[in-house]
Amino acid sequence: MVERLTSTSTNETLLKYTNNNLFKFNDLTIKLASGNKYNTISENPTASVNILNTNRQINQIGVFKGNISLANSSLGNQDSILSLAEKYAQRARDLGMQAATGTYDTSALEGIKADIDELINTIVDIGNNQYNGNYTFAGSRVKTVPYTVEKDEEGNITVNYNGSKATDNYQKKTEIADGVFETINVTGDQVFGYYEKVQSTNAQGGKLFKDASDREVVYDEAQDKYFYTSDGSEYTGKVKDLKKEYNQAEDASGNKQFEAADGAYVYYDGSNYFYENGDAYTGDVSELNKVYEYKSSGTFGAICELSADLGRAIKAMKSGNSDAKEAAEQGIRSSLDKFSAGINNISTVQTKFGGIANRLEMTNNTLENNELQLTEYLSGIKDLDFTSAITDWMNAQYAYEASLKAMSQSMNTSLLNYM
Amino acid sequence: MSLSSALNITARAMTVNQYAMNIVSNNIANMNTEGYSKQRVNLSTVTNKISIGESVERQIKADNGVQLASVTRYNNQFLKDYYRSQNSYAGYLNQSADLASQLDSIMNELSGNGLDSKINAFYEALNNLNEYPADSTARVNFIETAKSLVAKFASLSEELNATSGNAMGDGTRGSMEKSMCYVAINDLNAKLQELAEVNATLKRVQTGSLGANNLLDTRDKILNDLSEFYDFTVEENKNGTVSLSLGTMTLVEGENVVGTLEMVTAEEFYGSKEDIPEGADKAIINVVKEDGTKYKNINEQMTSGKLGALVQSDKAENGKLTASKVIEQLDILANSIGNVFNELQTREGAYCLNNTWSELEASTTPLFVGGFTETLEDGTTITTFKAADIRINSDIENKPYLIAAAYFDDPSMVDKYAIGNSDNVVAMLQTRSEKNNPGLDGQTFEEFYTALVGKVAVQTSTGDASAEAQQEVCNSIQSQITAETSVDLNEELTDLIKYQTAFAAAARVFNVCNNCFEVLVSLGS
C-alpha cells in the first residue's frame, strides 16, 4: 500500500498506462496493416514453425500439381498421336486385305503399294513426334531422331529405330506426390516396332562395315573404335563413309536366299542355284538379288513386310510367274496377321496411358483437397481475423483516447488552480 | 525577559520561514528532476541550556523561538537497495533479450525470403530438371537456385558472425573496441570516477543540509546507473561516503577509485594465438588496481547485469543458442547438403553430358566446393563444408552440361545417347524426404532447419517475456520509490502558504514589538 501519492508519481503512473494503451494500439495497427497475425518468429514460435512447414507442403503440392498437369498434357498429346497411328495402320491393313484377294491387276497393286509406302512415311513422322523440344518416342535418347527410313536399290523400305530400347530398363519418372513417381512415356520400339536389316557381326559380336574401297571394318564397342579385320589396324577415315554389312537370309538348311527378277525365291547351296520346289534355276545368276535377314516387330514390321511382299507380287504378275505370285500372296496374308499384334501394341499403350491418366486425376484430386485444407489451416494460423482485429483495434483506439483524455484532465488539477 | 528578546524571536521566525520557503521553492523547481527526492524542513523550538534550580524569572528571560533543526530528504533506503539488485537482473535480462532478438531478426523466415524458401526453390528447379534433363534452361535454372541457396547460407553465417562479435568482438583489437562490452566498460569506468567525486564533495558538506541532500540524490542516481551494469556491493562509510565493490574487489573506496575495469583480447591476455585455451572467451576483463597490479580474468564472476549478459552471450550453456551455436548448426546443414549432393553427383554410375550436349560422360565434377578436405589413414577423403564457405563449383557454373542427371546402376547398360535419362535427378529429388542425412539426427534438411528456427524463436520469445516481467518488477519498485519520495505540488503549495502565513504573522508581531519600543522611547520626552 502506497502511503503517499504525489503529483509526480500519479503522472508517471498515468503515463505508463497510457503508454501501454499506445503499445496495444500500435501493435494492432501493424497487424492490420500487414494482414499477418505474426510478423516475427518469436511472437509465436509454435505457429511460426507450423507456418514454415505448411508453406513448404503447399509449395510441394504446387510443384506436384504442375508435374501432373504437364504429365496430363503429355499423355493427351501421346494419346491423340497414337490414335492417329492406329488409324493409319488400320488403313494399311485394309489396303493389304484388298490386295490379298488376288483380284487386282498390276497397276492397281502398284497403286496400293504406293499408298502403303506413303503410310509408312506418315507413321514414321508420327513416331518422330516432338513435345517440348524432346522426341516423345525416343525413350531416354530425347534428342535423337527415333525413326529413320531407308530405301535400298530394290525399293525395299526399312524403318530403323534409333531411340533407347524398352529393354534398357530406363523409365522417365515424374514425381506426383511426396516420393511417388509415375512413368509417363513409352519407347518407340514398344509401341510402333521397327523393320531393320540385321547387321553382320564377327564371331565376337562386333558389327561389320565396309570402307569406301570395300575393305571389311569391325566396330569395337568397348574402345569405340573401328579396325580392319584383315590386319587389325585402326580405320582412321570418317565413320559416316562406312557402309553397314548386312546378313543375307538363309533357309532352314543354311542355303543362301536370293530373289529372281520375276519375284521368285532362289536358293544357293554353295554349288547350285535352285527354286523352292527343288527345280534348278536356269536364268542369269547376275540377275539374282540378295535377300537380307530382317528384324521385324510391331506395326512397322507388319507394314514393311506387306510392302515388300506387294513388291514381289507385282514382279511375279509382271513376269507371269504364277508360282511366285502364289508365294508372294501367301506372304501378304501372313504379314496381315502381324497387323493385329502391331495395332494391339498401340492400343495396349493407350489403355495403359488411360489408366495412368486416371491415377493422375485421382492424385490431383487428393492434392487439391490437401492444398485446400492446408491453405485453410495456414490462413487460420497466419492470417489476421479482420473482423475481430478491427473490433480490437477500435477498442484499443478508444482506450488510448480515453487514457489521453483522463491524463490531460487530471494533470491540470492542483492547488495552483485555486490560489 | 525583555522586549528585544521578543523582537529577536520574530526576526528569527522570519528568517527560518523564509528559509523554509526556500526549500519549498527548491522542491517545486526540481519537481521534474530525475532522481530528486523531496526535502523537508524540520523546525524545532530554541531551548536554552538551563540548569535545574534556576529561577523561573531567569528561565522566562531566556530567548526562545524557532530554529531550523535540519533539512531531511524523503528516502527509503531499503527500496532503493532492492531496486538496484532487481535493476541488475533486469539489465542482464534486457541485454540477453536484446542479443537474442538479433538472432530472431536474422532468422526471420516469415518474411518469405529465408533459407527455407531457397531450399524450396532449389528443389523446384531440380524437379524441372527432372522433366528436361537435356535442356540448358533447366540446367542453368538449377545452378542459379543452387547459387542463391549457398549465397543465403553465406549471408546468414556472415550476419550471425557479425552478431556474435557485437557483444565481445571477434578476437581482434579493432573489433573488440567497437563491441558493446567495451563501450559499456568505458561507461562504467567513467561512472566510477563520478561516484568518487561525489563522495569527495559529500565528505566536505554538512549532512542534513540542502546541498548534501542534493548530492545524495546525485549519488543515488549514479548507483542506480551502475547497478544496471553489475550487481555491485555498496557499503556506507562512517563519513557519509560509500564504497563500491565487485565481489571481493573494491573499485571505489570513499573519494578514491581504487580499481578500474580493463578489457583485452584473448590473444593479448594469453600472449599468443597458440596459447589460447580451447573454449576461452574472445575477450578478457581484468580489474586494474591503483598500483597497476591486476585481478586477472574476472569473466567467470561476470554473472549479473548488462556486463554479465554480454560476457555470457557467447557461452552456450544449458542448450542456449548463441550466434556461434546457430552458425555451427548451419554448418552442419550446409555440410550435409554439400556432401549428399556431391556424392550423388560424382557416384559411380552418374553421368553428365559431354561438351556438345549430345552424349553421356561419367561425372567426376563435384557440385559444391569450398569445403575443407582431409585424407584419412585408409586413404579415403572427407570434405567438410561450412555455411560461410560453401559455393557452387565454377566449372559447373560455366558448363551446365556437367550436372550429372543420368544414372545407370548397371554400368554395362550405359547408353551414351540416353541424354534424357534423369535417374540421378530423381535420386536428388528423393533427398528431400530422406531422413538419414549425415549429422542431422534423423531429420530431413528442411526439418532440421525448421527445428533450428523454432528453437531460436522460442529462446527469443522466452527471453523477451522474462525481460519484460523483470522490467515490470523494476518499474513497480521505481513507482513506489517515486510515490514515496517525489515532489507533490499540493503539498508544496500548502507548505508555501503555511510558511507565508507564519512569516506574515511574525512580521506583524515584529511591528507590534516595534510600536512598543517607540512607546517606550517616547516615555521620557
Side-chain angles (χ1 to χ4, degrees):
Chain A
M1 181 62 211
V2 185
E3 293 161 355
R4 190 165 169 267
L5 206 55
T6 67
S7 44
T8 315
S9 72
T10 34
N11 288 351
E12 268 182 20
T13 314
L14 281 173
L15 185 63
K16 197 172 83 189
Y17 289 129
T18 310
N19 240 336
N20 277 351
N21 282 334
L22 176 60
F23 269 111
K24 263 185 218 155
F25 176 62
N26 186 43
D27 192 41
L28 284 165
T29 312
I30 289 175
K31 282 183 178 170
L32 274 177
S34 68
N36 293 333
K37 259 189 203 163
Y38 313 112
N39 287 306
T40 61
I41 51 172
S42 54
E43 277 178 71
N44 189 335
T46 321
S48 302
V49 167
N50 283 338
I51 289 171
L52 285 184
N53 283 336
T54 316
N55 264 338
R56 179 172 70 237
Q57 289 177 54
I58 291 177
N59 182 290
Q60 266 184 302
I61 287 176
V63 170
F64 296 147
K65 279 174 66 190
N67 285 351
I68 287 178
S69 133
L70 197 68
N72 265 333
S73 102
S74 161
L75 285 179
N77 171 276
Q78 292 187 56
D79 190 51
S80 56
I81 287 282
L82 289 177
S83 297
L84 263 183
E86 201 179 334
K87 198 180 94 190
Y88 290 126
Q90 291 280 13
R91 182 165 155 66
R93 179 161 70 171
D94 291 348
L95 287 169
M97 280 164 93
Q98 289 171 27
T101 55
T103 54
Y104 284 82
D105 61 11
T106 321
S107 61
L109 281 185
E110 276 177 337
I112 288 176
K113 184 176 187 303
D115 261 4
I116 285 176
D117 289 355
E118 209 40 60
L119 281 172
I120 293 176
N121 282 328
T122 311
I123 301 178
V124 162
D125 285 348
I126 288 174
N128 287 343
N129 175 60
Q130 285 192 55
Y131 190 70
N132 279 337
N134 293 329
Y135 288 102
T136 316
F137 299 107
S140 55
R141 296 183 169 186
V142 288
K143 302 288 183 193
T144 310
V145 185
Y147 283 106
T148 47
V149 184
E150 273 176 39
K151 213 168 189 178
D152 64 13
E153 301 92 55
E154 289 83 42
N156 291 323
I157 293 176
T158 50
V159 176
N160 299 314
Y161 176 65
N162 315 310
S164 67
K165 307 229 172 6
T167 50
D168 279 355
N169 237 350
Y170 171 76
Q171 289 180 319
K172 181 164 171 49
K173 301 176 196 76
T174 293
E175 195 172 15
I176 56 163
D178 205 358
V180 181
F181 291 83
E182 187 69 72
T183 306
I184 51 148
N185 78 333
V186 65
T187 54
D189 60 339
Q190 204 181 343
V191 61
F192 300 119
Y194 45 81
Y195 189 68
E196 292 169 353
K197 279 185 188 169
V198 178
Q199 195 174 0
S200 312
T201 53
N202 64 7
Q204 288 76 42
K207 285 177 176 158
L208 294 174
F209 295 84
K210 283 251 169 75
D211 74 356
S213 49
D214 257 9
R215 288 179 69 194
E216 200 175 52
V217 173
V218 65
Y219 173 65
D220 184 334
E221 199 173 351
Q223 295 183 55
D224 195 14
K225 278 176 184 163
Y226 295 84
F227 299 98
Y228 284 106
T229 47
S230 50
D231 54 6
S233 64
E234 192 182 343
Y235 166 76
T236 49
K238 285 178 185 163
V239 174
K240 69 177 170 66
D241 292 339
L242 289 173
K243 272 193 200 143
K244 287 178 180 170
E245 276 288 278
Y246 297 108
N247 275 357
Q248 193 175 0
E250 293 168 350
D251 70 0
S253 38
N255 302 320
K256 300 276 184 202
Q257 193 177 1
F258 294 87
E259 193 189 298
D262 59 3
Y265 286 140
V266 171
Y267 296 91
Y268 177 63
D269 63 4
S271 48
N272 299 311
Y273 291 87
F274 50 87
Y275 288 106
E276 239 167 322
N277 57 14
D279 296 348
Y281 171 70
T282 50
D284 190 348
V285 173
S286 66
E287 280 179 10
L288 291 175
N289 287 323
K290 281 182 184 173
V291 172
Y292 292 102
E293 199 184 322
Y294 286 94
K295 278 193 300 183
S296 156
S297 155
T299 304
F300 278 126
I303 195 168
C304 289
E305 277 179 29
L306 177 62
S307 162
D309 287 327
L310 270 175
R312 242 170 13 103
I314 291 166
K315 278 185 202 162
M317 280 168 79
K318 275 185 178 160
S319 62
N321 185 335
S322 59
D323 282 355
K325 179 176 177 256
E326 183 61 33
E329 277 170 356
Q330 181 64 37
I332 291 174
R333 279 191 291 277
S334 76
S335 63
L336 283 176
D337 291 342
K338 291 184 181 170
F339 266 99
S340 337
I343 292 171
N344 197 28
N345 279 350
I346 299 178
S347 41
T348 307
V349 168
Q350 279 183 301
T351 315
K352 198 178 109 188
F353 280 176
I356 296 176
N358 278 343
R359 213 153 50 233
L360 290 181
E361 187 60 40
M362 258 157 52
T363 315
N364 200 33
N365 285 344
T366 318
L367 288 177
E368 262 172 11
N369 194 21
N370 286 351
E371 188 179 30
L372 195 70
Q373 282 179 354
L374 285 172
T375 316
E376 233 170 19
Y377 172 67
L378 182 65
S379 161
I381 49 175
K382 185 181 142 199
D383 295 342
L384 200 60
D385 174 3
F386 277 94
T387 327
S388 73
I390 290 269
T391 318
D392 289 351
W393 183 72
M394 298 289 274
N395 283 339
Q397 195 182 9
Y398 290 143
Y400 179 50
E401 277 171 4
S403 57
L404 283 178
K405 179 119 185 152
M407 189 158 78
S408 69
Q409 300 257 309
S410 74
M411 277 176 80
N412 278 334
T413 52
S414 82
L415 196 52
L416 201 58
N417 300 343
Y418 306 100
M419 282 174 82
Chain B
M1 189 202 148
S2 65
L3 200 54
S4 60
S5 156
L7 257 183
N8 280 343
I9 290 173
T10 53
R12 196 183 285 155
M14 281 195 285
T15 320
V16 165
N17 281 306
Q18 193 187 331
Y19 188 78
M21 280 190 277
N22 210 358
I23 298 293
V24 169
S25 90
N26 188 50
N27 280 342
I28 291 177
N30 279 304
M31 69 180 289
N32 292 324
T33 307
E34 199 195 335
Y36 180 79
S37 308
K38 174 190 157 68
Q39 298 185 22
R40 189 190 154 83
V41 184
N42 294 317
L43 304 179
S44 62
T45 40
V46 178
T47 48
N48 287 336
K49 290 194 184 85
I50 296 165
S51 331
I52 300 169
E54 295 241 29
S55 69
V56 177
E57 192 182 352
R58 191 170 154 74
Q59 281 183 37
I60 294 170
K61 265 185 185 168
D63 279 353
N64 276 314
V66 72
Q67 70 175 2
L68 199 67
S70 66
V71 180
T72 51
R73 59 183 192 129
Y74 278 37
N75 190 17
N76 186 332
Q77 200 53 46
F78 167 74
L79 270 184
K80 281 187 177 169
D81 291 344
Y82 184 49
Y83 174 76
R84 273 174 217 145
S85 70
Q86 293 301 317
N87 195 34
S88 294
Y89 190 42
Y92 178 82
L93 291 174
N94 274 334
Q95 188 65 61
S96 301
D98 187 33
L99 290 168
S101 77
Q102 292 179 354
L103 296 189
D104 186 53
S105 62
I106 293 173
M107 308 272 283
N108 196 358
E109 294 287 319
L110 294 185
S111 65
N113 199 24
L115 188 69
D116 203 60
S117 67
K118 303 291 175 197
I119 297 182
N120 245 334
F122 177 74
Y123 275 107
E124 234 179 288
L126 201 53
N127 176 71
N128 188 42
L129 183 61
N130 181 34
E131 298 296 329
Y132 307 106
D135 291 7
S136 65
T137 344
R139 284 172 177 259
V140 170
N141 180 31
F142 171 65
I143 291 171
E144 286 310 312
T145 57
K147 263 165 75 185
S148 75
L149 174 65
V150 294
K152 188 71 201 177
F153 264 123
S155 72
L156 274 179
S157 181
E158 193 183 320
E159 282 177 62
L160 286 167
N161 203 18
T163 308
S164 83
N166 274 352
M168 298 283 282
D170 61 7
T172 63
R173 176 116 213 137
S175 150
M176 183 190 74
E177 283 178 359
K178 275 182 231 141
S179 71
M180 293 158 102
C181 192
Y182 193 84
V183 173
I185 282 181
N186 281 345
D187 215 3
L188 172 67
N189 284 337
K191 292 249 184 272
L192 293 178
Q193 196 59 46
E194 279 177 44
L195 181 64
E197 278 161 17
V198 172
N199 270 340
T201 328
L202 259 174
K203 228 172 97 181
R204 289 196 299 272
V205 295
Q206 196 194 347
T207 52
S209 68
L210 183 73
N213 285 339
N214 286 346
L215 280 170
L216 286 175
D217 282 342
T218 314
R219 193 173 70 186
D220 277 345
K221 192 172 171 308
I222 295 174
L223 288 174
N224 281 353
D225 289 349
L226 280 168
S227 71
E228 200 190 327
F229 289 95
Y230 185 81
D231 194 5
F232 292 106
T233 318
V234 180
E235 267 175 67
E236 192 114 13
N237 298 326
K238 276 181 187 150
N239 58 4
T241 61
V242 291
S243 295
L244 182 105
S245 39
L246 192 162
T248 55
M249 295 160 279
T250 311
L251 301 183
V252 176
E253 201 170 349
E255 66 223 70
N256 299 315
V257 177
V258 295
T260 51
L261 268 62
E262 171 202 60
M263 192 175 171
V264 294
T265 64
E267 195 183 338
E268 289 162 350
F269 185 80
Y270 292 106
S272 72
K273 262 195 180 127
E274 290 72 37
D275 295 333
I276 302 175
E278 184 88 7
D281 292 333
K282 285 176 180 139
I284 310 284
I285 300 174
N286 298 324
V287 173
V288 186
K289 287 189 272 189
E290 255 181 319
D291 56 5
T293 58
K294 291 175 182 176
Y295 294 110
K296 284 187 174 169
N297 195 353
I298 56 162
N299 285 17
E300 284 299 313
Q301 279 145 283
M302 286 293 169
T303 48
S304 67
K306 203 161 125 181
L307 282 180
L310 289 168
V311 172
Q312 306 285 325
S313 69
D314 223 17
K315 288 204 172 93
E317 276 157 2
N318 308 325
K320 189 177 89 173
L321 274 177
T322 62
S324 322
K325 195 82 191 160
V326 176
I327 295 178
E328 232 171 74
Q329 298 286 301
L330 282 179
D331 285 346
I332 291 174
L333 183 60
N335 182 45
S336 201
I337 291 180
N339 276 317
V340 164
F341 276 86
N342 275 356
E343 159 62 19
L344 289 173
Q345 164 79 15
T346 57
R347 66 178 164 161
E348 197 184 342
Y351 288 83
C352 59
L353 302 181
N354 67 354
N355 58 7
T356 56
W357 298 68
S358 57
E359 287 176 23
L360 293 180
E361 244 176 31
S363 163
T364 53
T365 326
L367 186 59
F368 294 104
V369 292
F372 169 74
T373 306
E374 56 184 329
T375 312
L376 298 183
E377 276 176 22
D378 60 0
T380 54
T381 56
I382 290 185
T383 303
T384 316
F385 292 102
K386 283 195 181 301
D389 306 322
I390 190 169
R391 58 202 153 73
I392 299 298
N393 196 340
S394 57
D395 276 354
I396 298 232
E397 217 183 309
N398 298 330
K399 304 168 185 166
Y401 56 81
L402 288 178
I403 298 170
Y407 176 72
F408 293 89
D409 49 3
D410 179 359
S412 68
M413 292 288 285
V414 175
D415 171 7
K416 65 178 180 179
Y417 300 108
I419 57 177
N421 179 316
S422 63
D423 273 356
N424 211 32
V425 178
V426 168
M428 288 179 182
L429 274 174
Q430 280 163 341
T431 61
R432 192 170 194 176
S433 40
E434 175 61 58
K435 286 183 181 287
N436 192 20
N437 296 306
L440 303 192
D441 300 331
Q443 297 171 90
T444 67
F445 298 137
E446 285 157 302
E447 280 169 358
F448 182 81
Y449 184 67
T450 312
L452 178 62
V453 172
K455 278 184 223 160
V456 169
V458 168
Q459 180 170 302
T460 314
S461 156
T462 50
D464 279 351
S466 35
E468 254 168 54
Q470 184 58 27
Q471 196 55 52
E472 202 49 50
V473 170
C474 285
N475 286 349
S476 97
I477 304 172
Q478 184 62 52
S479 63
Q480 212 174 330
I481 294 176
T482 317
E484 290 194 17
T485 65
S486 67
V487 177
D488 180 52
L489 203 52
N490 295 345
E491 223 173 61
E492 298 310 316
L493 291 174
T494 315
D495 278 354
L496 190 66
I497 294 166
K498 221 164 73 186
Y499 295 130
Q500 190 194 10
T501 315
F503 184 88
R508 176 59 63 90
V509 172
F510 182 88
N511 275 344
V512 171
C513 286
N514 197 22
N515 285 344
C516 291
F517 258 120
E518 274 173 18
V519 171
L520 279 180
V521 170
S522 62
L523 271 180
S525 59

